[in-house]
Amino acid sequence: MSSWTRWHGPAMARLWGFCWLVVGFWRAALACPTSCKCSTSRIWCSDPSPGIVAFPRLEPNSADPENITEIYIANQKRLEIINEDDVEAYAGLKNLTIVDSGLKFVAHKAFLKNSNLQHINFTRNKLTSLSRKHFRHLDLSELILVGNPFTCSCDIMWIKTLQETKSSPETQDLYCLNESSKNIPLANLQIPNCGLPSANLAAPNLTVEEGKSITLSCSVEGDPVPNLYWDVGNLVSKHMNETSHMQGSLRITNISSDDSGKQISCVAENLVGEDQDSVNLTVHFAPTITFLESPTSDHHWCIPFTVKGNPKPALQWFYNGAILNESKYICTKIHVTNHTEYHGCLQLDNPTHMNNGDYKLVAKNEYGKDEKQISAHFMGWPGIDDGANPNYPDVIYEDYGTAANDIGDTTNRSNEIPSTDVADKSGREHLSVYAVVVIASVVGFCLLVMLFLLKLARHSKFGMKDFSWFGFGKVKSRQGVGPASVISNDDDSASPLHHISNGSNTPSSSEGGPDAVIIGMTKIPVIENPQYFGITNSQLKPDTWPRASPKTA
């Protein structure tokens, strides 16, 4: 029982995995041709016995042939032909090697569907001729043809031209057999009436307006006589061509804006090689805003847009119907340019509820204009739910100046429409003004209160008419001492009135009553305090004061 449990654990899983691996290799071996070995990405056939007589093919329901990237064949003397459909199943093939074998013929379209081919090695086979049409659609980095008995003819002159134009300094030691079966170095081969062709394209004006038509003409020359054909790529506009001997024409009608920037080529081709003359088509058309959406938040807030147009359209933004002057806080950014298509956004730096509203983009060039509008909501108004939609006020923002965007300066300063800028300072400026006004009002009110209190003090009964409130002493107005004498036996400094008389500056006695105190130039009547005489001398003065002599008393 314990052994059964042990085999149902990880050990059993490993056993089943090993079995499936063996079965997989067994099936691959059955699908692989005799004298060959196969894996999921490679086929190699190097065993000469019994050998193969045809290009190796995998059996149906075996490994996917599209995953094969390398095929290596060697020592297969009975392999003579590569047909058109032998290699087409290996769409992912990159390296093809056939060496020391009996290969004599390769079909013209043998590699038509093998666009990934980069390296071809046909060393030491039986090839007597090889057309450039086999390889003209391929972007080969290496083509090795050493050791083949080529016949000296115009059919292999393209190999010589290829060697001469090859950028790599390494050249192959290639030979061909002349009529006398003598080896001639291919680099020295000279064949009359066998040269590269030439093409000349006549284009009167390739800058056209959308919807118009245009006709291109081309002439070719060469010996052998070249073939003429047009390479228009993925041209969208309707087109037709006419070819007569060594002249050809191409007419394009109802030209689409989608074809602006595309290349059109006239190609001349013969056995030796090819030549082509190309032009680029330029289509002018009115701007179109193909994309405009509500703002998105990233590092900055962005209102994304896509505009097409040729020539470059000028862009102008409007905020709530008024021209929006761009600044460092709000500006147009173009992120991607694709010939006549511009992808960008209106970038806003930390927008608030003051920036909520309708934003309209206008794109314009000499052929027309287009406009689109969206509503933007960045933040709720203070005291209002964020989901509410209050009416947006017309706020005039501080003008920070206009910055030219990536397409061009689009600000119209001469327009009489009131311009608005986005500014974060307006709220703080309003608060500062209110604070200054409140402070000034408080200060003014305080000054008025102080003036009122001072005026009231001058006429109040609590003024300086009754000096008994201050303890200045009793006046002897009825004992003939004088009109304004103050009873005091102490030092004059004990009374604040010891400077009340200043000689000639003292007013006359007629200006006051019999009982008066003179302060400065003012005589103030003094009323006796009846309670004053009830106070004994001992109460008026502390014991520390010097007592008066009996005679003085």
Side-chain angles (χ1 to χ4, degrees), residues 519-542:
I519 299 178
M521 297 298 294
T522 305
K523 180 181 290 186
I524 301 174
V526 176
I527 302 174
E528 290 182 351
N529 185 355
Q531 297 177 359
Y532 180 80
F533 296 100
I535 305 173
T536 64
N537 290 337
S538 62
Q539 291 176 323
L540 290 172
K541 300 180 181 179

Side-chain angles (χ1 to χ4, degrees), residues 305-307 333-339 341-345 406:
F305 66 86
T306 298
V307 177
K333 296 290 186 180
I334 302 299
H335 302 303
V336 179
T337 301
N338 184 15
H339 190 59
E341 192 170 49
Y342 306 90
H343 305 271
C345 70
D406 293 328

Side-chain angles (χ1 to χ4, degrees), residues 323-532:
I323 293 177
L324 179 63
N325 290 332
E326 299 188 17
S327 67
K328 62 181 180 180
Y329 299 105
I330 177 169
C331 57
T332 302
K333 296 290 186 180
I334 302 299
H335 302 303
V336 179
T337 301
N338 184 15
H339 190 59
T340 61
E341 192 170 49
Y342 306 90
H343 305 271
C345 70
L346 179 66
Q347 180 176 295
L348 298 98
D349 187 9
N350 297 324
T352 66
H353 60 278
M354 305 298 291
N355 305 103
N356 296 343
D358 295 328
Y359 289 81
K360 180 172 68 174
L361 175 61
V362 177
K364 184 178 181 180
N365 66 11
E366 58 188 277
Y367 293 95
K369 71 174 184 178
D370 190 21
E371 60 182 49
K372 280 190 177 181
Q373 178 174 302
I374 55 99
S375 293
H377 181 77
F378 302 99
M379 185 182 297
W381 285 74
I384 302 177
D385 292 339
D386 191 58
N389 186 22
N391 294 327
Y392 303 112
D394 294 331
V395 180
I396 305 300
Y397 296 98
E398 180 182 354
D399 188 359
Y400 288 97
T402 302
N405 59 26
D406 293 328
I407 295 182
D409 190 353
T410 60
T411 304
N412 184 2
R413 294 181 179 268
S414 62
N415 199 312
E416 295 183 358
I417 301 177
S419 63
T420 60
D421 277 340
V422 179
D424 295 332
K425 298 182 180 179
S426 62
R428 293 193 296 269
E429 292 175 352
H430 291 167
L431 291 176
S432 300
V433 172
Y434 294 151
V436 171
V437 172
V438 170
I439 293 173
S441 301
V442 171
V443 172
F445 178 78
C446 292
L447 291 175
L448 290 175
V449 170
M450 293 177 64
L451 291 175
F452 175 79
L453 292 176
L454 291 174
K455 187 70 174 177
L456 184 64
R458 292 185 62 181
H459 300 284
S460 173
K461 67 179 180 177
F462 300 104
M464 299 182 66
K465 291 183 179 181
D466 191 350
F467 279 81
S468 65
W469 291 95
F470 301 94
F472 289 142
K474 182 170 63 173
V475 178
K476 292 183 179 181
S477 60
R478 297 179 182 179
Q479 296 179 8
V481 176
S485 298
V486 178
I487 298 175
S488 178
N489 295 326
D490 303 312
D491 191 351
D492 289 342
S493 62
S495 174
L497 301 178
H498 67 281
H499 293 298
I500 60 177
S501 178
N502 292 315
S504 62
N505 292 333
T506 304
S508 62
S509 61
S510 60
E511 294 179 3
D515 296 339
V517 176
I518 299 173
I519 299 178
M521 297 298 294
T522 305
K523 180 181 290 186
I524 301 174
V526 176
I527 302 174
E528 290 182 351
N529 185 355
Q531 297 177 359
Y532 180 80

Side-chain angles (χ1 to χ4, degrees), residues 219-236:
S219 60
V220 298
E221 296 179 354
D223 192 7
V225 177
N227 295 322
L228 185 155
Y229 67 91
W230 294 91
D231 184 3
V232 296
N234 54 347
L235 196 67
V236 175

Side-chain angles (χ1 to χ4, degrees), residues 63-294:
D64 190 353
E66 293 186 359
N67 295 329
I68 300 298
T69 59
E70 181 179 3
I71 298 178
Y72 177 85
I73 300 174
N75 304 315
Q76 305 298 320
K77 301 299 182 181
R78 296 190 296 170
L79 176 63
E80 298 181 350
I81 298 174
I82 299 178
N83 293 312
E84 292 184 356
D85 56 349
D86 284 343
V87 195
E88 65 179 7
Y90 305 106
L93 185 63
K94 295 181 179 180
N95 302 324
L96 175 60
T97 300
I98 303 178
V99 296
D100 298 314
S101 298
L103 185 63
K104 296 180 179 180
F105 175 77
V106 180
H108 286 176
K109 298 181 180 181
F111 309 121
L112 187 62
K113 297 183 179 180
N114 305 101
S115 58
N116 294 316
L117 260 176
Q118 298 176 3
H119 303 273
I120 296 179
N121 186 353
F122 287 161
T123 300
R124 294 183 297 276
N125 283 283
K126 306 297 182 183
L127 294 170
T128 59
S129 180
L130 194 63
S131 173
R132 64 176 299 275
K133 293 181 179 180
H134 297 101
F135 316 105
R136 66 181 182 183
H137 66 288
L138 300 177
D139 185 19
L140 292 177
S141 59
E142 187 176 50
L143 176 61
I144 303 176
L145 301 172
V146 176
N148 286 279
F150 290 115
T151 300
C152 296
S153 67
C154 195
D155 292 341
I156 63 169
M157 283 295 290
W158 70 272
I159 302 176
K160 176 186 176 182
T161 303
L162 180 64
Q163 290 283 40
E164 292 173 349
T165 58
K166 193 174 181 181
S167 58
S168 174
E170 298 180 2
T171 57
Q172 302 177 51
D173 191 12
L174 300 177
Y175 294 87
C176 65
L177 296 175
N178 61 11
E179 297 177 354
S180 304
S181 299
K182 182 180 178 180
N183 280 335
I184 304 295
L186 196 60
N188 300 330
L189 182 62
Q190 297 293 334
I191 298 178
N193 300 323
C194 184
L196 287 170
S198 64
N200 183 24
L201 179 60
N205 185 10
L206 281 181
T207 301
V208 294
E209 188 177 349
E210 183 180 21
K212 302 295 184 179
S213 300
I214 191 172
T215 300
L216 307 180
S217 299
C218 182
S219 60
V220 298
E221 296 179 354
D223 192 7
V225 177
N227 295 322
L228 185 155
Y229 67 91
W230 294 91
D231 184 3
V232 296
N234 54 347
L235 196 67
V236 175
S237 305
K238 184 179 179 181
H239 56 277
M240 60 179 64
N241 65 80
E242 296 179 359
T243 302
S244 176
H245 194 48
M246 301 177 71
Q247 294 286 335
S249 64
L250 176 68
R251 181 165 179 79
I252 308 173
T253 59
N254 192 21
I255 293 178
S256 170
S257 60
D258 294 332
D259 290 329
S260 185
K262 291 184 178 178
Q263 187 179 76
I264 301 174
S265 301
C266 172
V267 183
E269 181 184 26
N270 63 11
L271 294 175
V272 181
E274 67 178 33
D275 182 39
Q276 68 178 26
D277 194 7
S278 303
V279 292
N280 290 320
L281 183 63
T282 301
V283 183
H284 284 172
F285 58 96
T288 303
I289 302 174
T290 60
F291 177 80
L292 182 65
E293 281 198 352
S294 299

